[in-house]
Amino acid sequence: MRDTTRGPSVSPIETEKPQSAFELPTACEQIYSASMLADLQSANPPLNDPGVTMLSTENADLLEIIHGGAPTLRCSWGQPSEYGLATNVTEIDGTQAAAIVAALPAAGFGCEALGDGTVCRIEQKGITLDDNEYTRGETHYVGDGAMVTTAWINFAPEGYTEDVVATLWG
């Protein structure tokens, strides 16, 4: 005869997401000051061309978070070409933030304090097979509740990340 008695059942306990001061915007226009938005619209339109497939980072640790289901807003500027940028704003928790701030310097990024968070940058110059010079880079910000990841090629507006940080975190 089989024993059909079972131990106590375990019911899932609903947990709340940790609270931070950060609230993910619902539209790209919300991540810029009015003056930065106007500059971007005149310097390298359009916003979110569907043909732009550039990732906001090539760092595997960051891509894992961005594409792992975390709430993310993607914004890009320009048309498919060798000139433009892509930015993601992604919600993160404190453990992820600490891991990112530790991983980026190990990957060659230079990091420093910006506001209440950390900004990390890397840049490289090269020459294409067609003998055209290019400059590309990434700038990432890790703040309370979110990270802003930006990759760019031949288009790095002055104060871009600082403007996004000031707009989103005040």
Side-chain angles (χ1 to χ4, degrees):
M1 189 169 226
R2 262 180 44 200
D3 182 10
T4 58
T5 60
R6 294 185 182 172
S9 77
V10 178
S11 299
I13 299 171
E14 216 172 290
T15 58
E16 289 187 24
K17 181 178 172 189
Q19 292 297 312
S20 78
F22 187 81
E23 196 169 315
L24 187 68
T26 57
C28 291
E29 292 84 354
Q30 297 170 336
I31 74 170
Y32 307 107
S33 67
S35 61
M36 178 60 75
L37 182 60
D39 289 349
L40 293 166
Q41 288 170 331
S42 67
N44 197 24
L47 172 61
N48 293 332
D49 184 302
V52 174
T53 58
M54 180 167 62
L55 299 174
S56 66
T57 183
E58 291 183 1
N59 182 281
D61 295 325
L62 299 180
L63 287 171
E64 187 175 311
I65 294 169
I66 294 166
H67 298 293
T72 298
L73 175 67
R74 175 180 162 74
C75 307
S76 66
W77 287 96
Q79 298 176 350
S81 68
E82 295 299 315
Y83 189 79
L85 64 79
T87 295
N88 281 354
V89 180
T90 304
E91 289 185 14
I92 58 172
D93 62 30
T95 302
Q96 290 169 317
I100 294 164
V101 169
L104 289 176
F109 285 78
C111 299
E112 62 188 10
L114 176 62
D116 291 332
T118 302
V119 64
C120 300
R121 305 172 199 275
I122 195 167
E123 181 178 305
Q124 74 181 79
K125 296 178 185 264
I127 299 176
T128 67
L129 296 175
D130 297 330
D131 290 328
N132 295 318
E133 292 183 6
Y134 69 88
T135 304
R136 65 172 308 279
E138 295 185 18
T139 304
H140 307 310
Y141 177 78
V142 179
D144 182 25
M147 68 176 171
V148 177
T149 54
T150 301
W152 52 269
I153 185 162
N154 297 322
F155 181 65
E158 185 70 33
Y160 178 87
T161 298
E162 293 78 3
D163 183 82
V164 172
V165 170
T167 302
L168 295 178
W169 280 273

